Amino acid sequence: MQMPFILALCLLAIGPRDAHSAPAQDCHAVSREACAIAHGLGRGINLGNMLDAPREGDWGVRLEPRFIELATRHFQTVRLPVRWSNHAAPTADARIDEAFARRVDGVVDALLARGVRVILNVHHYMQLTGGPLHPGEFAVDPAVLEERLVNLWRQIAWRHRDRPPQLLFELLNEPHGTLEGERWNRLAARLLAAVRASNPTRVVLIGPGDWSHPRALPALRLPPDAYLIVAIHSYDPFEFTHQGVTWRANPFPTGTRCCDEAQRAQVVQALDAALRWNRANGVPVHLGEFGAYRAGDLASRAAYARLVRDEAERRGIGWAWWEWASDFSGVYDPARKVWVEPLRRALLD
Ligand code: BGC
């Protein structure tokens, strides 16, 4: 009689162990609310290559209401990349084009109404990171580059200040190039201060340099703030995920498959590094991007998706696939109006 009772007590203490019960990350440096939001990010999708193109539609896909409807039925989090810098005055005040801001408002509200968490970011401010401009992107006086970003955030944050806490901000996608180390640390602190003026407790994501690879985490110096999550990205193994991409000067050859032991080890090492950093720093991490370019074979891409998803979930790290319906690695085929089944299964089954 006694054994089953004790057993029942133990099971209660441990809690149900189903596919969704992930280990918790260490949250000792953030508030309980930020910790809960981080743990609720779960499975996510990037509505990429839409509002982050120089102009919506430039990269072949517009953000359609049906995408919102369908994606939010299957993912708990939507990351919304937005190229604000190309829809704002070229001057230091960076006054945002009102029609564009309203377009983003509409998408954010439609997503929130569907009950998902939304990560709204600043994506592709190419000149700030020293990269060549994308076709259709305009240049500004280098003296106002950083000030513009501060003022973009001042406006974005003010505009969204009354939205629910399910809306998260991410200061900048993948700092890299000329925006590394101390320059990024200093700028991130200024951007956060601009946000905090109107949003004292909204959760904000900050990624490290080196395209937000976990290996750059040691150089990230976070401002003291209890409402932060750290954004990491992983495209390891890079020769596989970026084979044949058109924008590299020397494209990796195609034909690389995934995932053998060495490739698996790369995925695991990056996520382990992120988890070690979390344990030491007490700020939760989120895997905001991973994906494999369509030039790779579909079976390998699905195997990669499953591998990264499983390894992230095993570590209690929420994730977001790059991306929904565009030509990098869309999980949905907008022309045929069908899921790319092997990818859907790998991510969601
Ligand atoms: C960029 C995309 C790119 C992807 C994979 C993203 O952060 O915004 O343009 O396709 O990374 O390289």
Side-chain angles (χ1 to χ4, degrees), residues 271-295:
L271 294 173
D272 276 347
L275 204 58
R276 274 197 305 278
W277 184 91
N278 163 259
R279 298 273 182 261
N281 293 276
V283 179
V285 299
H286 176 249
L287 177 62
E289 284 188 20
F290 69 108
Y293 188 54
R294 66 188 156 113

mmCIF file of all heavy atoms in Angstrom, residues 271-295:
data_model
loop_
_atom_site.group_PDB
_atom_site.id
_atom_site.type_symbol
_atom_site.label_atom_id
_atom_site.label_comp_id
_atom_site.label_asym_id
_atom_site.label_seq_id
_atom_site.Cartn_x
_atom_site.Cartn_y
_atom_site.Cartn_z
ATOM 1 N N LEU A 271 24.907 24.201 -29.681
ATOM 2 C CA LEU A 271 23.824 24.298 -28.693
ATOM 3 C C LEU A 271 24.352 24.079 -27.277
ATOM 4 O O LEU A 271 23.862 24.704 -26.327
ATOM 5 C CB LEU A 271 22.708 23.306 -29.038
ATOM 6 C CG LEU A 271 21.972 23.632 -30.353
ATOM 7 C CD1 LEU A 271 21.007 22.519 -30.730
ATOM 8 C CD2 LEU A 271 21.234 24.969 -30.251
ATOM 9 N N ASP A 272 25.346 23.227 -27.142
ATOM 10 C CA ASP A 272 25.950 23.043 -25.817
ATOM 11 C C ASP A 272 26.635 24.324 -25.342
ATOM 12 O O ASP A 272 26.568 24.678 -24.166
ATOM 13 C CB ASP A 272 26.972 21.892 -25.840
ATOM 14 C CG ASP A 272 26.283 20.536 -25.660
ATOM 15 O OD1 ASP A 272 25.090 20.513 -25.278
ATOM 16 O OD2 ASP A 272 26.941 19.509 -25.927
ATOM 17 N N ALA A 273 27.292 24.996 -26.274
ATOM 18 C CA ALA A 273 27.951 26.262 -25.906
ATOM 19 C C ALA A 273 26.905 27.261 -25.425
ATOM 20 O O ALA A 273 27.119 27.993 -24.446
ATOM 21 C CB ALA A 273 28.722 26.823 -27.104
ATOM 22 N N ALA A 274 25.758 27.283 -26.106
ATOM 23 C CA ALA A 274 24.685 28.205 -25.710
ATOM 24 C C ALA A 274 24.168 27.850 -24.313
ATOM 25 O O ALA A 274 23.942 28.729 -23.476
ATOM 26 C CB ALA A 274 23.550 28.150 -26.730
ATOM 27 N N LEU A 275 24.027 26.566 -24.070
ATOM 28 C CA LEU A 275 23.501 26.140 -22.770
ATOM 29 C C LEU A 275 24.493 26.426 -21.637
ATOM 30 O O LEU A 275 24.108 26.853 -20.554
ATOM 31 C CB LEU A 275 23.174 24.644 -22.826
ATOM 32 C CG LEU A 275 22.145 24.164 -21.825
ATOM 33 C CD1 LEU A 275 20.834 24.916 -21.989
ATOM 34 C CD2 LEU A 275 21.900 22.665 -22.005
ATOM 35 N N ARG A 276 25.771 26.213 -21.927
ATOM 36 C CA ARG A 276 26.799 26.534 -20.912
ATOM 37 C C ARG A 276 26.761 28.015 -20.583
ATOM 38 O O ARG A 276 26.840 28.428 -19.434
ATOM 39 C CB ARG A 276 28.198 26.155 -21.417
ATOM 40 C CG ARG A 276 28.591 24.707 -21.171
ATOM 41 C CD ARG A 276 30.096 24.518 -21.310
ATOM 42 N NE ARG A 276 30.616 24.986 -22.589
ATOM 43 C CZ ARG A 276 30.580 24.284 -23.721
ATOM 44 N NH1 ARG A 276 30.060 23.064 -23.733
ATOM 45 N NH2 ARG A 276 31.069 24.781 -24.840
ATOM 46 N N TRP A 277 26.609 28.826 -21.625
ATOM 47 C CA TRP A 277 26.538 30.277 -21.413
ATOM 48 C C TRP A 277 25.309 30.612 -20.569
ATOM 49 O O TRP A 277 25.374 31.427 -19.658
ATOM 50 C CB TRP A 277 26.503 30.996 -22.770
ATOM 51 C CG TRP A 277 26.523 32.485 -22.618
ATOM 52 C CD1 TRP A 277 27.613 33.293 -22.588
ATOM 53 C CD2 TRP A 277 25.388 33.341 -22.415
ATOM 54 N NE1 TRP A 277 27.228 34.603 -22.389
ATOM 55 C CE2 TRP A 277 25.875 34.654 -22.278
ATOM 56 C CE3 TRP A 277 24.013 33.115 -22.349
ATOM 57 C CZ2 TRP A 277 25.034 35.746 -22.073
ATOM 58 C CZ3 TRP A 277 23.173 34.199 -22.138
ATOM 59 C CH2 TRP A 277 23.689 35.498 -22.008
ATOM 60 N N ASN A 278 24.203 29.948 -20.875
ATOM 61 C CA ASN A 278 22.976 30.182 -20.090
ATOM 62 C C ASN A 278 23.190 29.833 -18.627
ATOM 63 O O ASN A 278 22.802 30.586 -17.727
ATOM 64 C CB ASN A 278 21.818 29.370 -20.683
ATOM 65 C CG ASN A 278 20.668 29.242 -19.700
ATOM 66 O OD1 ASN A 278 20.492 28.210 -19.047
ATOM 67 N ND2 ASN A 278 19.907 30.307 -19.540
ATOM 68 N N ARG A 279 23.806 28.710 -18.370
ATOM 69 C CA ARG A 279 24.034 28.278 -16.980
ATOM 70 C C ARG A 279 24.907 29.283 -16.234
ATOM 71 O O ARG A 279 24.700 29.569 -15.063
ATOM 72 C CB ARG A 279 24.717 26.907 -16.943
ATOM 73 C CG ARG A 279 23.907 25.794 -17.561
ATOM 74 C CD ARG A 279 22.949 25.171 -16.546
ATOM 75 N NE ARG A 279 22.211 24.062 -17.136
ATOM 76 C CZ ARG A 279 20.963 24.138 -17.617
ATOM 77 N NH1 ARG A 279 20.297 25.279 -17.592
ATOM 78 N NH2 ARG A 279 20.370 23.078 -18.127
ATOM 79 N N ALA A 280 25.893 29.808 -16.927
ATOM 80 C CA ALA A 280 26.816 30.733 -16.263
ATOM 81 C C ALA A 280 26.210 32.125 -16.084
ATOM 82 O O ALA A 280 26.561 32.831 -15.135
ATOM 83 C CB ALA A 280 28.114 30.839 -17.074
ATOM 84 N N ASN A 281 25.297 32.503 -16.990
ATOM 85 C CA ASN A 281 24.822 33.898 -16.981
ATOM 86 C C ASN A 281 23.371 34.079 -16.540
ATOM 87 O O ASN A 281 22.942 35.208 -16.279
ATOM 88 C CB ASN A 281 25.022 34.519 -18.364
ATOM 89 C CG ASN A 281 26.489 34.674 -18.704
ATOM 90 O OD1 ASN A 281 27.119 35.652 -18.306
ATOM 91 N ND2 ASN A 281 27.058 33.687 -19.381
ATOM 92 N N GLY A 282 22.607 32.988 -16.539
ATOM 93 C CA GLY A 282 21.235 33.076 -16.029
ATOM 94 C C GLY A 282 20.265 33.842 -16.911
ATOM 95 O O GLY A 282 19.189 34.245 -16.453
ATOM 96 N N VAL A 283 20.622 34.042 -18.188
ATOM 97 C CA VAL A 283 19.703 34.675 -19.145
ATOM 98 C C VAL A 283 19.325 33.609 -20.174
ATOM 99 O O VAL A 283 20.220 32.973 -20.749
ATOM 100 C CB VAL A 283 20.378 35.876 -19.857
ATOM 101 C CG1 VAL A 283 19.432 36.515 -20.862
ATOM 102 C CG2 VAL A 283 20.838 36.905 -18.836
ATOM 103 N N PRO A 284 18.017 33.388 -20.388
ATOM 104 C CA PRO A 284 17.634 32.323 -21.322
ATOM 105 C C PRO A 284 18.043 32.620 -22.762
ATOM 106 O O PRO A 284 18.179 33.793 -23.139
ATOM 107 C CB PRO A 284 16.105 32.253 -21.193
ATOM 108 C CG PRO A 284 15.681 33.497 -20.509
ATOM 109 C CD PRO A 284 16.856 34.023 -19.750
ATOM 110 N N VAL A 285 18.234 31.574 -23.539
ATOM 111 C CA VAL A 285 18.593 31.750 -24.950
ATOM 112 C C VAL A 285 17.485 31.195 -25.840
ATOM 113 O O VAL A 285 16.744 30.300 -25.447
ATOM 114 C CB VAL A 285 19.946 31.069 -25.316
ATOM 115 C CG1 VAL A 285 21.078 31.651 -24.511
ATOM 116 C CG2 VAL A 285 19.879 29.562 -25.144
ATOM 117 N N HIS A 286 17.396 31.768 -27.024
ATOM 118 C CA HIS A 286 16.411 31.330 -28.016
ATOM 119 C C HIS A 286 17.116 31.172 -29.360
ATOM 120 O O HIS A 286 17.895 32.040 -29.761
ATOM 121 C CB HIS A 286 15.286 32.375 -28.138
ATOM 122 C CG HIS A 286 14.282 32.039 -29.203
ATOM 123 N ND1 HIS A 286 14.149 32.753 -30.367
ATOM 124 C CD2 HIS A 286 13.367 31.038 -29.263
ATOM 125 C CE1 HIS A 286 13.185 32.213 -31.106
ATOM 126 N NE2 HIS A 286 12.694 31.174 -30.463
ATOM 127 N N LEU A 287 16.834 30.071 -30.040
ATOM 128 C CA LEU A 287 17.425 29.822 -31.359
ATOM 129 C C LEU A 287 16.504 30.448 -32.409
ATOM 130 O O LEU A 287 15.524 29.846 -32.834
ATOM 131 C CB LEU A 287 17.562 28.303 -31.579
ATOM 132 C CG LEU A 287 18.094 27.844 -32.940
ATOM 133 C CD1 LEU A 287 19.506 28.363 -33.190
ATOM 134 C CD2 LEU A 287 18.071 26.307 -33.027
ATOM 135 N N GLY A 288 16.839 31.661 -32.808
ATOM 136 C CA GLY A 288 15.928 32.439 -33.659
ATOM 137 C C GLY A 288 15.969 32.088 -35.133
ATOM 138 O O GLY A 288 15.069 32.461 -35.885
ATOM 139 N N GLU A 289 17.039 31.411 -35.552
ATOM 140 C CA GLU A 289 17.124 30.992 -36.954
ATOM 141 C C GLU A 289 17.931 29.719 -37.075
ATOM 142 O O GLU A 289 19.009 29.592 -36.481
ATOM 143 C CB GLU A 289 17.833 32.060 -37.819
ATOM 144 C CG GLU A 289 17.011 33.258 -38.154
ATOM 145 C CD GLU A 289 17.709 34.177 -39.174
ATOM 146 O OE1 GLU A 289 18.630 33.735 -39.900
ATOM 147 O OE2 GLU A 289 17.320 35.359 -39.220
ATOM 148 N N PHE A 290 17.434 28.801 -37.859
ATOM 149 C CA PHE A 290 18.209 27.713 -38.456
ATOM 150 C C PHE A 290 17.450 27.298 -39.701
ATOM 151 O O PHE A 290 16.241 27.513 -39.803
ATOM 152 C CB PHE A 290 18.424 26.547 -37.474
ATOM 153 C CG PHE A 290 17.176 25.754 -37.140
ATOM 154 C CD1 PHE A 290 17.000 24.458 -37.627
ATOM 155 C CD2 PHE A 290 16.178 26.293 -36.342
ATOM 156 C CE1 PHE A 290 15.855 23.725 -37.314
ATOM 157 C CE2 PHE A 290 15.019 25.571 -36.033
ATOM 158 C CZ PHE A 290 14.859 24.286 -36.523
ATOM 159 N N GLY A 291 18.156 26.754 -40.678
ATOM 160 C CA GLY A 291 17.502 26.402 -41.928
ATOM 161 C C GLY A 291 18.549 25.895 -42.900
ATOM 162 O O GLY A 291 19.749 26.014 -42.645
ATOM 163 N N ALA A 292 18.112 25.308 -43.993
ATOM 164 C CA ALA A 292 19.041 24.735 -44.971
ATOM 165 C C ALA A 292 18.554 25.083 -46.373
ATOM 166 O O ALA A 292 17.429 24.741 -46.747
ATOM 167 C CB ALA A 292 19.124 23.224 -44.795
ATOM 168 N N TYR A 293 19.402 25.760 -47.110
ATOM 169 C CA TYR A 293 19.041 26.276 -48.435
ATOM 170 C C TYR A 293 18.549 25.161 -49.357
ATOM 171 O O TYR A 293 19.047 24.032 -49.322
ATOM 172 C CB TYR A 293 20.266 26.978 -49.036
ATOM 173 C CG TYR A 293 20.009 27.726 -50.308
ATOM 174 C CD1 TYR A 293 19.013 28.694 -50.380
ATOM 175 C CD2 TYR A 293 20.775 27.477 -51.440
ATOM 176 C CE1 TYR A 293 18.788 29.401 -51.564
ATOM 177 C CE2 TYR A 293 20.574 28.182 -52.625
ATOM 178 C CZ TYR A 293 19.563 29.132 -52.674
ATOM 179 O OH TYR A 293 19.351 29.833 -53.842
ATOM 180 N N ARG A 294 17.608 25.545 -50.200
ATOM 181 C CA ARG A 294 16.911 24.550 -51.037
ATOM 182 C C ARG A 294 17.803 23.835 -52.041
ATOM 183 O O ARG A 294 17.378 22.838 -52.634
ATOM 184 C CB ARG A 294 15.759 25.221 -51.772
ATOM 185 C CG ARG A 294 16.244 26.240 -52.780
ATOM 186 C CD ARG A 294 15.081 27.024 -53.348
ATOM 187 N NE ARG A 294 15.581 28.298 -53.823
ATOM 188 C CZ ARG A 294 15.619 28.652 -55.105
ATOM 189 N NH1 ARG A 294 15.169 27.848 -56.029
ATOM 190 N NH2 ARG A 294 16.107 29.820 -55.449
ATOM 191 N N ALA A 295 19.053 24.297 -52.257
ATOM 192 C CA ALA A 295 19.926 23.584 -53.192
ATOM 193 C C ALA A 295 20.346 22.222 -52.646
ATOM 194 O O ALA A 295 20.783 21.350 -53.402
ATOM 195 C CB ALA A 295 21.164 24.428 -53.501
#
